[in-house]
Amino acid sequence: MRNVIFAINITLDGCCDHTKFVPDPDEGVMEHYTRLLRDDAGLLVYGRKTYQLMVPYWPDIAKSQSETQPDIEFARAFDSLNKIVFSRSLGSAEDKNTKIVRSNLRDEILKLKQEPGKSILVGGVEIPSQLMELGLIDEYRFVVMPIIAGAGRRLFEGVNLPEKRQLKLVESKTFKSGCVALRYLRQ
């Protein structure tokens, strides 16, 4: 059975609004996410907003190779993966390996978990929040930025859990920038 991994950057005060972060994470953080895409992810799952933040930006970088080498490597890894976008409003996908799904999130994720392959990597806020409420996230990977944003959307804001979720820290790594990558498994 495939695992569902939720990965996101957050500030020390829990802000997950990407506009509150430094413009470019350090090379170590980019390499961290590139390894996650290459080694662990077999499928990317997003909502419309996150998809439109990622595409066409990263596929364009993969083609133009106009950024730093770590950015280009991330872009190539991102562009190579299949993507599913849960959306009622997105008319069409901008890249060749994206499928738009309008059906029930729970049923679709349960079906995808049964398929062979590497893990399902979810990003953004809305879809992961729904999956957390449904108890369908197996692993959480956070990169905590050494920033106190003071404002902006907070991670899991409005999430309503039937009971407390206990997680087990299985890995941590500190980067030169002061960012810390944390990996938790659901117990």
Side-chain angles (χ1 to χ4, degrees):
M1 180 179 279
R2 297 165 99 176
N3 279 340
V4 173
I5 300 172
F6 172 40
I8 194 166
N9 295 329
I10 61 171
T11 63
L12 285 170
D13 56 343
C15 178
C16 56
D17 179 343
H18 75 283
T19 65
K20 306 294 183 189
F21 304 156
V22 291
D24 292 312
D26 71 25
E27 287 186 8
V29 173
M30 286 305 295
E31 290 166 2
H32 166 79
Y33 279 115
T34 300
R35 277 191 306 279
L36 173 60
L37 292 177
R38 284 188 181 149
D39 298 346
D40 299 330
L43 176 67
L44 302 175
V45 172
Y46 299 121
R48 179 194 54 82
K49 292 176 191 173
T50 302
Y51 175 74
Q52 290 179 322
L53 285 172
M54 303 294 276
V55 174
Y57 182 79
W58 289 112
D60 286 350
I61 298 233
K63 287 179 197 130
S64 71
Q65 301 197 13
S66 59
E67 294 294 328
T68 66
Q69 194 59 38
D71 284 348
I72 293 166
E73 292 302 317
F74 176 86
R76 287 179 182 155
F78 175 85
D79 197 37
S80 72
L81 290 169
N82 288 330
K83 297 158 199 72
I84 290 183
V85 180
F86 283 90
S87 175
R88 290 181 208 86
S89 61
L90 188 62
S92 63
E94 290 195 35
D95 67 336
K96 61 190 176 307
N97 49 355
T98 297
K99 174 182 166 188
I100 299 171
V101 175
R102 302 184 199 291
S103 63
N104 181 285
L105 175 67
R106 178 187 174 279
D107 294 345
E108 187 70 23
I109 294 296
L110 287 172
K111 182 178 86 173
L112 291 168
K113 283 177 69 92
Q114 298 301 318
E115 293 178 359
K118 293 181 180 179
S119 293
I120 301 162
L121 181 62
V122 296
V125 179
E126 294 295 329
I127 297 298
S129 292
Q130 292 174 50
L131 292 174
M132 189 167 71
E133 287 179 341
L134 293 167
L136 293 176
I137 297 177
D138 302 297
E139 190 172 326
Y140 297 81
R141 296 196 189 186
F142 302 130
V143 173
V144 182
M145 306 282 177
I147 299 166
I148 297 172
R153 183 164 187 182
R154 298 297 190 257
L155 189 63
F156 304 133
E157 194 170 66
V159 170
N160 190 5
L161 296 178
E163 59 187 32
K164 177 176 73 171
R165 290 264 155 74
Q166 187 65 42
L167 304 176
K168 179 181 179 181
L169 179 65
V170 293
E171 187 179 345
S172 65
K173 180 177 182 177
T174 304
F175 299 96
K176 290 180 199 175
S177 62
C179 294
V180 179
L182 302 168
R183 180 178 173 211
Y184 293 93
L185 298 179
R186 186 175 66 170
Q187 289 188 321

Short mmCIF file of all heavy atoms in Angstrom, two decimals, residues 33-71:
data_model
loop_
_atom_site.label_atom_id
_atom_site.label_comp_id
_atom_site.label_asym_id
_atom_site.label_seq_id
_atom_site.Cartn_x
_atom_site.Cartn_y
_atom_site.Cartn_z
N TYR A 33 14.05 18.77 -1.00
CA TYR A 33 12.79 18.54 -1.71
C TYR A 33 13.01 17.78 -3.02
O TYR A 33 12.16 16.98 -3.42
CB TYR A 33 12.05 19.85 -1.95
CG TYR A 33 11.29 20.30 -0.73
CD1 TYR A 33 11.61 21.47 -0.05
CD2 TYR A 33 10.23 19.54 -0.24
CE1 TYR A 33 10.91 21.87 1.07
CE2 TYR A 33 9.52 19.92 0.88
CZ TYR A 33 9.86 21.09 1.53
OH TYR A 33 9.17 21.47 2.65
N THR A 34 14.13 18.00 -3.68
CA THR A 34 14.42 17.26 -4.91
C THR A 34 14.56 15.78 -4.60
O THR A 34 14.02 14.92 -5.31
CB THR A 34 15.70 17.80 -5.58
OG1 THR A 34 15.49 19.19 -5.90
CG2 THR A 34 16.01 17.03 -6.86
N ARG A 35 15.26 15.45 -3.51
CA ARG A 35 15.39 14.04 -3.10
C ARG A 35 14.03 13.44 -2.76
O ARG A 35 13.76 12.28 -3.09
CB ARG A 35 16.35 13.90 -1.92
CG ARG A 35 17.80 13.88 -2.32
CD ARG A 35 18.73 13.47 -1.18
NE ARG A 35 18.57 14.25 0.02
CZ ARG A 35 19.12 15.45 0.23
NH1 ARG A 35 19.85 16.01 -0.69
NH2 ARG A 35 18.92 16.09 1.36
N LEU A 36 13.19 14.21 -2.10
CA LEU A 36 11.84 13.74 -1.77
C LEU A 36 11.09 13.38 -3.06
O LEU A 36 10.47 12.32 -3.15
CB LEU A 36 11.08 14.80 -0.97
CG LEU A 36 9.62 14.54 -0.68
CD1 LEU A 36 9.42 13.26 0.12
CD2 LEU A 36 9.01 15.73 0.06
N LEU A 37 11.16 14.24 -4.05
CA LEU A 37 10.48 13.97 -5.32
C LEU A 37 11.07 12.76 -6.03
O LEU A 37 10.34 11.90 -6.52
CB LEU A 37 10.55 15.19 -6.24
CG LEU A 37 9.77 16.43 -5.82
CD1 LEU A 37 10.02 17.56 -6.80
CD2 LEU A 37 8.29 16.15 -5.70
N ARG A 38 12.38 12.71 -6.09
CA ARG A 38 13.04 11.62 -6.83
C ARG A 38 12.96 10.27 -6.13
O ARG A 38 12.75 9.25 -6.77
CB ARG A 38 14.52 11.97 -7.05
CG ARG A 38 14.74 12.98 -8.12
CD ARG A 38 16.21 13.12 -8.41
NE ARG A 38 16.41 14.13 -9.43
CZ ARG A 38 17.48 14.88 -9.50
NH1 ARG A 38 18.45 14.75 -8.63
NH2 ARG A 38 17.59 15.77 -10.46
N ASP A 39 13.17 10.27 -4.82
CA ASP A 39 13.31 9.00 -4.09
C ASP A 39 12.00 8.44 -3.55
O ASP A 39 11.83 7.23 -3.49
CB ASP A 39 14.28 9.16 -2.92
CG ASP A 39 15.69 9.54 -3.36
OD1 ASP A 39 16.00 9.41 -4.57
OD2 ASP A 39 16.48 9.98 -2.50
N ASP A 40 11.10 9.31 -3.15
CA ASP A 40 9.93 8.85 -2.42
C ASP A 40 8.60 9.03 -3.15
O ASP A 40 7.67 8.28 -2.93
CB ASP A 40 9.83 9.56 -1.06
CG ASP A 40 11.03 9.27 -0.17
OD1 ASP A 40 11.61 8.17 -0.30
OD2 ASP A 40 11.41 10.15 0.62
N ALA A 41 8.49 10.04 -3.98
CA ALA A 41 7.20 10.38 -4.59
C ALA A 41 7.00 9.67 -5.92
O ALA A 41 7.90 9.64 -6.76
CB ALA A 41 7.09 11.89 -4.79
N GLY A 42 5.81 9.13 -6.09
CA GLY A 42 5.43 8.54 -7.36
C GLY A 42 4.29 9.31 -8.00
O GLY A 42 4.01 9.15 -9.18
N LEU A 43 3.65 10.17 -7.21
CA LEU A 43 2.49 10.92 -7.67
C LEU A 43 2.35 12.16 -6.81
O LEU A 43 2.52 12.11 -5.58
CB LEU A 43 1.23 10.05 -7.53
CG LEU A 43 -0.10 10.68 -7.87
CD1 LEU A 43 -0.19 10.98 -9.37
CD2 LEU A 43 -1.25 9.75 -7.45
N LEU A 44 2.04 13.30 -7.43
CA LEU A 44 1.80 14.55 -6.71
C LEU A 44 0.31 14.84 -6.72
O LEU A 44 -0.34 14.70 -7.76
CB LEU A 44 2.56 15.70 -7.38
CG LEU A 44 4.06 15.54 -7.49
CD1 LEU A 44 4.67 16.70 -8.28
CD2 LEU A 44 4.69 15.45 -6.12
N VAL A 45 -0.22 15.25 -5.57
CA VAL A 45 -1.64 15.57 -5.45
C VAL A 45 -1.78 16.98 -4.89
O VAL A 45 -1.20 17.30 -3.84
CB VAL A 45 -2.38 14.56 -4.54
CG1 VAL A 45 -3.81 15.01 -4.27
CG2 VAL A 45 -2.36 13.17 -5.16
N TYR A 46 -2.53 17.81 -5.61
CA TYR A 46 -2.74 19.20 -5.22
C TYR A 46 -4.20 19.59 -5.40
O TYR A 46 -4.94 18.94 -6.13
CB TYR A 46 -1.92 20.15 -6.11
CG TYR A 46 -0.43 19.96 -6.06
CD1 TYR A 46 0.28 19.66 -7.21
CD2 TYR A 46 0.27 20.12 -4.88
CE1 TYR A 46 1.66 19.51 -7.18
CE2 TYR A 46 1.64 19.97 -4.84
CZ TYR A 46 2.33 19.67 -6.00
OH TYR A 46 3.69 19.53 -5.96
N GLY A 47 -4.55 20.71 -4.80
CA GLY A 47 -5.77 21.42 -5.14
C GLY A 47 -5.43 22.41 -6.24
O GLY A 47 -4.26 22.59 -6.61
N ARG A 48 -6.43 23.09 -6.75
CA ARG A 48 -6.22 24.03 -7.86
C ARG A 48 -5.23 25.13 -7.53
O ARG A 48 -4.34 25.45 -8.32
CB ARG A 48 -7.56 24.65 -8.28
CG ARG A 48 -7.40 25.65 -9.44
CD ARG A 48 -8.64 26.51 -9.64
NE ARG A 48 -9.08 27.20 -8.46
CZ ARG A 48 -8.56 28.35 -8.00
NH1 ARG A 48 -7.55 28.92 -8.61
NH2 ARG A 48 -9.05 28.92 -6.92
N LYS A 49 -5.36 25.77 -6.36
CA LYS A 49 -4.49 26.90 -6.02
C LYS A 49 -3.02 26.50 -6.00
O LYS A 49 -2.18 27.19 -6.57
CB LYS A 49 -4.89 27.50 -4.67
CG LYS A 49 -6.22 28.19 -4.67
CD LYS A 49 -6.56 28.66 -3.27
CE LYS A 49 -7.99 29.12 -3.17
NZ LYS A 49 -8.35 29.42 -1.78
N THR A 50 -2.71 25.40 -5.35
CA THR A 50 -1.31 24.97 -5.27
C THR A 50 -0.81 24.54 -6.64
O THR A 50 0.31 24.87 -7.03
CB THR A 50 -1.16 23.83 -4.25
OG1 THR A 50 -1.63 24.30 -2.99
CG2 THR A 50 0.29 23.38 -4.13
N TYR A 51 -1.64 23.84 -7.39
CA TYR A 51 -1.26 23.44 -8.74
C TYR A 51 -0.88 24.67 -9.57
O TYR A 51 0.15 24.68 -10.26
CB TYR A 51 -2.39 22.66 -9.40
CG TYR A 51 -2.12 22.31 -10.85
CD1 TYR A 51 -1.20 21.31 -11.18
CD2 TYR A 51 -2.75 22.98 -11.88
CE1 TYR A 51 -0.93 21.00 -12.51
CE2 TYR A 51 -2.51 22.67 -13.20
CZ TYR A 51 -1.59 21.68 -13.51
OH TYR A 51 -1.33 21.38 -14.82
N GLN A 52 -1.70 25.70 -9.50
CA GLN A 52 -1.44 26.89 -10.31
C GLN A 52 -0.25 27.69 -9.80
O GLN A 52 0.32 28.48 -10.56
CB GLN A 52 -2.70 27.75 -10.40
CG GLN A 52 -3.76 27.08 -11.26
CD GLN A 52 -5.04 27.88 -11.37
OE1 GLN A 52 -5.52 28.51 -10.44
NE2 GLN A 52 -5.62 27.85 -12.57
N LEU A 53 0.17 27.49 -8.56
CA LEU A 53 1.43 28.07 -8.09
C LEU A 53 2.64 27.32 -8.66
O LEU A 53 3.68 27.90 -8.92
CB LEU A 53 1.51 28.02 -6.56
CG LEU A 53 0.67 29.02 -5.78
CD1 LEU A 53 0.72 28.71 -4.29
CD2 LEU A 53 1.15 30.44 -6.04
N MET A 54 2.47 26.01 -8.82
CA MET A 54 3.58 25.15 -9.25
C MET A 54 3.70 25.04 -10.77
O MET A 54 4.80 24.90 -11.29
CB MET A 54 3.41 23.76 -8.64
CG MET A 54 3.30 23.73 -7.13
SD MET A 54 4.80 24.23 -6.30
CE MET A 54 5.71 22.70 -6.30
N VAL A 55 2.58 25.05 -11.46
CA VAL A 55 2.55 24.88 -12.91
C VAL A 55 1.91 26.13 -13.52
O VAL A 55 0.83 26.53 -13.08
CB VAL A 55 1.72 23.62 -13.29
CG1 VAL A 55 1.56 23.50 -14.80
CG2 VAL A 55 2.37 22.37 -12.71
N PRO A 56 2.57 26.79 -14.44
CA PRO A 56 3.69 26.36 -15.28
C PRO A 56 5.08 26.74 -14.75
O PRO A 56 6.07 26.49 -15.44
CB PRO A 56 3.41 27.09 -16.60
CG PRO A 56 2.81 28.39 -16.17
CD PRO A 56 1.97 28.04 -14.95
N TYR A 57 5.17 27.33 -13.55
CA TYR A 57 6.46 27.83 -13.07
C TYR A 57 7.57 26.79 -13.15
O TYR A 57 8.59 27.01 -13.81
CB TYR A 57 6.32 28.36 -11.64
CG TYR A 57 7.61 28.94 -11.11
CD1 TYR A 57 8.01 30.21 -11.49
CD2 TYR A 57 8.45 28.20 -10.28
CE1 TYR A 57 9.20 30.75 -11.04
CE2 TYR A 57 9.65 28.73 -9.82
CZ TYR A 57 10.01 30.00 -10.20
OH TYR A 57 11.20 30.53 -9.76
N TRP A 58 7.41 25.63 -12.47
CA TRP A 58 8.49 24.64 -12.43
C TRP A 58 8.72 23.96 -13.77
O TRP A 58 9.87 23.77 -14.19
CB TRP A 58 8.28 23.64 -11.30
CG TRP A 58 8.51 24.29 -9.97
CD1 TRP A 58 7.57 24.55 -9.01
CD2 TRP A 58 9.75 24.80 -9.46
NE1 TRP A 58 8.15 25.19 -7.93
CE2 TRP A 58 9.49 25.35 -8.18
CE3 TRP A 58 11.04 24.85 -9.94
CZ2 TRP A 58 10.48 25.95 -7.40
CZ3 TRP A 58 12.04 25.44 -9.16
CH2 TRP A 58 11.75 25.99 -7.90
N PRO A 59 7.69 23.58 -14.52
CA PRO A 59 7.95 23.02 -15.86
C PRO A 59 8.69 24.01 -16.77
O PRO A 59 9.55 23.60 -17.56
CB PRO A 59 6.56 22.69 -16.39
CG PRO A 59 5.77 22.40 -15.15
CD PRO A 59 6.27 23.40 -14.14
N ASP A 60 8.38 25.31 -16.64
CA ASP A 60 9.09 26.31 -17.45
C ASP A 60 10.58 26.36 -17.08
O ASP A 60 11.44 26.49 -17.95
CB ASP A 60 8.46 27.70 -17.28
CG ASP A 60 7.13 27.83 -18.01
OD1 ASP A 60 6.77 26.92 -18.80
OD2 ASP A 60 6.44 28.84 -17.78
N ILE A 61 10.88 26.25 -15.78
CA ILE A 61 12.29 26.25 -15.35
C ILE A 61 12.99 24.99 -15.87
O ILE A 61 14.15 25.04 -16.28
CB ILE A 61 12.38 26.32 -13.81
CG1 ILE A 61 11.76 27.62 -13.38
CG2 ILE A 61 13.79 26.08 -13.31
CD1 ILE A 61 12.45 28.54 -12.52
N ALA A 62 12.29 23.86 -15.85
CA ALA A 62 12.88 22.62 -16.37
C ALA A 62 13.25 22.78 -17.85
O ALA A 62 14.28 22.27 -18.29
CB ALA A 62 11.93 21.44 -16.17
N LYS A 63 12.42 23.49 -18.60
CA LYS A 63 12.68 23.69 -20.02
C LYS A 63 13.75 24.75 -20.28
O LYS A 63 14.67 24.54 -21.06
CB LYS A 63 11.39 24.10 -20.74
CG LYS A 63 10.40 22.98 -20.91
CD LYS A 63 9.14 23.47 -21.59
CE LYS A 63 8.04 22.46 -21.38
NZ LYS A 63 6.80 23.05 -20.90
N SER A 64 13.63 25.89 -19.62
CA SER A 64 14.54 27.01 -19.89
C SER A 64 15.88 26.87 -19.19
O SER A 64 16.87 27.44 -19.65
CB SER A 64 13.89 28.32 -19.45
OG SER A 64 13.82 28.39 -18.02
N GLN A 65 15.89 26.14 -18.08
CA GLN A 65 17.09 25.98 -17.25
C GLN A 65 17.68 27.34 -16.90
O GLN A 65 18.90 27.53 -16.91
CB GLN A 65 18.10 25.06 -17.94
CG GLN A 65 17.48 23.71 -18.21
CD GLN A 65 18.50 22.64 -18.49
OE1 GLN A 65 19.68 22.81 -18.27
NE2 GLN A 65 18.00 21.52 -18.95
N SER A 66 16.81 28.28 -16.56
CA SER A 66 17.18 29.67 -16.34
C SER A 66 17.48 30.02 -14.89
O SER A 66 17.76 31.17 -14.60
CB SER A 66 16.07 30.58 -16.86
OG SER A 66 14.85 30.27 -16.17
N GLU A 67 17.41 29.06 -13.99
CA GLU A 67 17.64 29.35 -12.57
C GLU A 67 18.90 28.66 -12.08
O GLU A 67 19.68 28.15 -12.87
CB GLU A 67 16.41 28.89 -11.75
CG GLU A 67 15.14 29.65 -12.04
CD GLU A 67 15.19 31.12 -11.63
OE1 GLU A 67 15.87 31.44 -10.63
OE2 GLU A 67 14.55 31.94 -12.29
N THR A 68 19.06 28.60 -10.77
CA THR A 68 20.23 27.94 -10.19
C THR A 68 20.16 26.44 -10.45
O THR A 68 19.07 25.90 -10.72
CB THR A 68 20.28 28.18 -8.66
OG1 THR A 68 19.15 27.52 -8.06
CG2 THR A 68 20.29 29.65 -8.31
N GLN A 69 21.28 25.77 -10.31
CA GLN A 69 21.31 24.32 -10.54
C GLN A 69 20.37 23.57 -9.61
O GLN A 69 19.64 22.68 -10.06
CB GLN A 69 22.74 23.78 -10.45
CG GLN A 69 22.88 22.37 -11.01
CD GLN A 69 22.48 22.25 -12.47
OE1 GLN A 69 22.74 23.13 -13.29
NE2 GLN A 69 21.83 21.14 -12.82
N PRO A 70 20.32 23.90 -8.30
CA PRO A 70 19.35 23.21 -7.43
C PRO A 70 17.90 23.42 -7.87
O PRO A 70 17.09 22.51 -7.80
CB PRO A 70 19.62 23.81 -6.05
CG PRO A 70 21.05 24.25 -6.10
CD PRO A 70 21.25 24.73 -7.51
N ASP A 71 17.57 24.64 -8.34
CA ASP A 71 16.22 24.91 -8.84
C ASP A 71 15.93 24.08 -10.08
O ASP A 71 14.83 23.53 -10.23
CB ASP A 71 16.04 26.39 -9.17
CG ASP A 71 15.87 27.27 -7.96
OD1 ASP A 71 15.67 26.74 -6.84
OD2 ASP A 71 15.93 28.51 -8.11
#
